[in-house]
Amino acid sequence: ALSIKAFALLFALLATGARAELTIEITQGVDNPTAIAVVPFAWSGPGSPPEDLAEVIDGDFTRSGQFAPVARRDMLGRPTTEAEVFYRDWRALDTEYLLIGRASQAQSPDGTATLRVDFELFDVVRQTRMHAGWVAGVPGEARMIAHRVADIVYEKLTGIRGAFATRLLYVSVTRVPGGRDYFRLTLADSDGARPIVLLESREPILAPAWSPDGNEIAYVSFETSRPAIYRQELATGKREQLTNFKGLNGAPAWSPDGRTMAMVLSKDGSPDIYLMDLATKNLTRVTRHYAIDTEPTWMPDGKSLLFTSDRGGQPQIYRYDLRSRSIERLTFEGNYNARARVAQDGRNVVLVHRQDQFFHIALLDLVTNRLYVLTSTDLDESPSIAPNGSMVLYATKYAERGILAAVSVDGGVKFRLPARDGDVREPAWSPYMTR
């Protein structure tokens, strides 16, 4: 049995995805994290605030591995305005930066409620205010508003655009002893909160992928007893079946302009890469080889594709130039490299690399052609890179369960995101969401 629920309605049904909720376990951070204090925000509005905004922001900074937030119990004061900030209180705690804020809720004449968050960032060492800003939205999106504040502050402190206000797709599996497992395609915030089940099936769900504007997803479902590629609007839940060919239909990947989808089809023999024009549904065959060509991913400029092929005898990463139709092998280190994903800078490629018979996540620098192994666990797969290029999300095994984990591109920060129940796999990190 298959059930699909519209995205807008699913926010009211969070309990549906409770079994797929992820938790955060930091396992490694930088050696000297920056001390920052995120003071509880003041509240002006009816009743209690819809969310502890400061706690969400605190969690974002903790998860980055680059910051060490000050515990609330240690705070000597709780300022909410600049006039209430006494730098000596924070210097006594060796705090380098201080974030304070005020949240308010107002209602417009048409009855629409708006949540506004004003915040200020201070440099404790220099005793100056670095930045003041505000973010607003509907109260039901309070957590996302907090993530957007964290993104702004993170960029001010690091020079790198934050990616906390993004979302994750993943497949969760609930085992049924003696029966058929449940597969759920789940959407969650970047910290694993607010999981929403977009699709539930007793048949496998594979290869979730995002459209470049973050408004649609694609995936492979076996609901018709054989693999088929679907696209689905998040706002409405409307879905469309794109393929129904015999054999393999898999690995959908949107082009950067959103007009074309790369995919793997075996309808003409061996698995090859095809391009589908999403407006006309016309197909163009990209590769023609007796070997297996699979796992296409686009370079950010849309001029070439990377894919996995065993045409050289073992799985390696190749690049196909759409204009010249030339194919170039990119990986040579090791006898297995697969599932490439490219950062937005077009320089770093994350992939699955086999070393000493174990599968790890590695990073290939396309400028230097050097490959760096990022993980040390035994069975890592399905890497997906954050839109700011700083972190890699991947699937692995821990305590005999399938979990998600993340590692920074320099290997210095690591954390796990196990589900409270069941196994999780096939992660896909969203692009920056349009608003």
Side-chain angles (χ1 to χ4, degrees), residues 32-69:
N32 296 297
T34 301
I36 185 171
V38 184
V39 180
F41 288 6
W43 170 247
S44 175
S48 57
E51 194 75 43
D52 188 332
L53 303 169
E55 184 177 56
V56 175
I57 296 167
D58 191 289
D60 286 340
F61 286 126
T62 300
R63 195 168 76 257
S64 76
Q66 298 171 264
F67 295 89

Side-chain angles (χ1 to χ4, degrees), residues 80-370:
T80 59
T81 65
E82 184 174 11
E84 297 171 344
V85 173
F86 297 101
Y87 290 105
R88 65 177 182 273
D89 292 345
W90 305 103
R91 288 200 305 270
L93 299 173
D94 294 323
T95 305
E96 297 175 63
Y97 298 99
L98 171 68
L99 181 66
I100 65 173
R102 300 164 298 282
S104 60
Q105 184 172 314
Q107 198 161 350
S108 62
D110 65 359
T112 303
T114 299
L115 176 65
R116 172 172 169 141
V117 178
D118 293 87
F119 62 95
E120 297 173 89
L121 176 66
F122 299 89
D123 184 321
V124 175
V125 177
R126 293 180 174 83
Q127 300 188 39
T128 58
R129 188 176 74 171
M130 294 179 59
H131 180 75
W134 62 273
V135 176
V138 297
E141 286 288 287
R143 288 189 68 89
M144 192 56 68
I145 291 171
H147 290 316
R148 288 165 60 191
V149 172
D151 280 345
I152 295 169
V153 174
Y154 181 84
E155 184 170 7
K156 292 294 179 183
L157 296 179
T158 67
I160 301 170
R161 186 177 179 183
F164 303 118
T166 53
R167 291 195 165 105
L168 309 177
L169 282 173
Y170 56 91
V171 176
S172 62
V173 184
T174 301
R175 303 297 180 188
V176 180
R180 295 167 65 194
D181 297 338
Y182 282 96
F183 297 84
R184 297 180 178 90
L185 179 60
T186 303
L187 173 73
D189 291 352
S190 66
D191 58 358
R194 302 194 305 164
I196 300 165
V197 176
L198 301 176
L199 178 69
E200 183 176 284
S201 177
R202 302 302 290 270
E203 305 295 339
I205 302 168
L206 304 172
W210 290 89
S211 66
D213 61 7
N215 293 327
E216 293 184 79
I217 59 172
Y219 50 86
V220 176
S221 173
F222 283 69
E223 63 200 67
T224 60
S225 76
R226 66 184 184 191
I229 298 173
Y230 293 80
R231 67 188 293 189
Q232 183 170 334
E233 296 178 0
L234 289 180
T236 65
K238 179 182 177 182
R239 67 199 297 253
E240 176 186 12
Q241 184 174 340
L242 297 179
T243 66
N244 190 32
F245 301 110
K246 292 183 179 179
L248 181 64
N249 298 252
W254 252 286
S255 63
D257 64 8
R259 299 176 181 175
T260 306
M261 186 175 291
M263 59 185 65
V264 178
L265 304 173
S266 63
K267 66 185 186 68
D268 298 315
S270 296
D272 277 303
I273 310 297
Y274 290 76
L275 302 181
M276 175 180 283
D277 183 310
L278 291 174
T280 65
K281 304 302 186 294
N282 290 334
L283 284 171
T284 301
R285 189 173 180 177
V286 170
T287 64
R288 295 176 180 269
H289 203 279
Y290 60 83
I292 296 174
D293 294 339
T294 186
E295 300 173 341
T297 190
W298 294 80
M299 291 296 289
D301 61 9
K303 296 179 181 179
S304 59
L305 289 164
L306 305 190
F307 65 97
T308 306
S309 177
D310 64 352
R311 59 182 60 204
Q314 298 165 330
Q316 298 291 345
I317 305 300
Y318 294 78
R319 174 160 46 194
Y320 177 89
D321 187 287
L322 292 170
R323 178 173 294 181
S324 67
R325 300 182 182 178
S326 62
I327 294 178
E328 171 192 11
R329 180 172 166 176
L330 297 183
T331 54
F332 294 90
E333 184 175 335
N335 58 13
Y336 183 101
N337 293 285
R339 193 65 180 266
R341 293 296 182 264
V342 189
Q344 279 302 306
D345 62 7
R347 173 171 179 165
N348 289 332
V349 177
V350 294
L351 48 87
V352 178
H353 170 75
R354 184 164 60 196
Q355 184 181 69
D356 299 327
Q357 303 307 310
F358 296 116
F359 294 91
H360 304 301
I361 303 302
L363 182 143
L364 174 67
D365 186 322
L366 293 181
V367 174
T368 65
N369 292 320
R370 295 190 64 181

